[in-house]
Amino acid sequence: MGERTKPKAPRRQYGALPYRFRADGSLEILLVTTRRTGRWIVPKGWKIKGKKPARSAAQEAFEEAGVRGVISEKPIGSFVYDKWLDGDGVATACEVRVFALLVERQEDTWRERQEREARWVTPETALQLVENEGLKDLIRTSVEGLATAPARLPPPGLPAAEIPMT
């Protein structure tokens, strides 16, 4: 009998879906480009040692887009993409668990400002810019909850974790 190999579980990252409300009450979502290919995505990255997943996601949003705010403690969804790991030339499946981030402010400068573009867009424009179908689905299913959330709270049913403004 041949040996059966167990499929490799996807690697995991944590991301944020940064959002805010314009003066007219309309919802905007913040997207960033990848450094390597320039595709539109949400801020995301590997778990940061000593931080809970939501805090890792909030830190990635700050490093990649300069945003701070209130992040949900539980993910609002996830998507999978192929991650090209440096040096090996092979893509590996990576699951991104995404947390809602109600943005309270965006800095003028941040760590990766020169490495990627950050753009506030309507949910409709976000769906046009994003290529990953899983991320599109996550945006589509999250928009209603984000749009109806009180302006100072994350979507209904998601407990909030205050992110320090340091």
Side-chain angles (χ1 to χ4, degrees), residues 9-111:
R11 300 199 50 186
R12 181 166 296 140
Q13 291 186 322
Y14 298 99
L17 179 60
Y19 69 100
R20 69 181 182 188
F21 297 95
R22 296 174 51 105
D24 67 4
S26 62
L27 177 68
E28 287 186 311
I29 294 171
L30 182 69
L31 297 177
V32 297
T33 55
T34 61
R35 287 187 286 202
R36 195 170 146 272
T37 63
R39 286 176 294 115
W40 290 101
I41 57 168
V42 295
K44 62 179 180 44
W46 305 111
K47 184 175 185 304
I48 299 169
K49 188 176 180 174
K51 290 187 183 256
K52 291 183 178 183
R55 301 264 191 240
S56 289
Q59 182 66 37
E60 290 297 331
F62 179 68
E63 291 175 7
E64 295 181 11
V67 293
R68 297 255 192 218
V70 179
I71 194 154
S72 62
E73 289 180 356
K74 293 183 180 177
I76 57 171
S78 65
F79 68 96
V80 176
Y81 78 104
D82 288 331
K83 171 79 173 166
W84 293 91
L85 300 175
D86 293 335
D88 67 6
V90 177
T92 185
C94 191
E95 177 197 24
V96 181
R97 291 194 179 165
V98 180
F99 298 81
L101 175 66
L102 175 59
V103 174
E104 294 181 335
R105 77 173 195 237
Q106 185 172 23
E107 303 297 333
D108 292 331
T109 61
W110 58 87
R111 184 174 161 190

Side-chain angles (χ1 to χ4, degrees), residues 78-151:
S78 65
F79 68 96
V80 176
Y81 78 104
D82 288 331
K83 171 79 173 166
W84 293 91
L85 300 175
D86 293 335
D88 67 6
V90 177
T92 185
C94 191
E95 177 197 24
V96 181
R97 291 194 179 165
V98 180
F99 298 81
L101 175 66
L102 175 59
V103 174
E104 294 181 335
R105 77 173 195 237
Q106 185 172 23
E107 303 297 333
D108 292 331
T109 61
W110 58 87
R111 184 174 161 190
E112 296 181 17
R113 183 177 174 100
Q114 303 303 317
E115 299 172 44
R116 55 178 89 233
E117 184 180 344
R119 184 185 301 172
W120 285 103
V121 297
T122 65
E124 296 77 22
T125 299
L127 293 173
Q128 292 172 355
L129 292 173
V130 169
E131 294 175 13
N132 181 285
E133 289 300 323
L135 180 53
K136 280 185 181 188
D137 289 344
L138 185 141
I139 291 169
R140 237 182 247 111
T141 59
S142 300
V143 165
E144 188 176 321
L146 298 175
T148 60

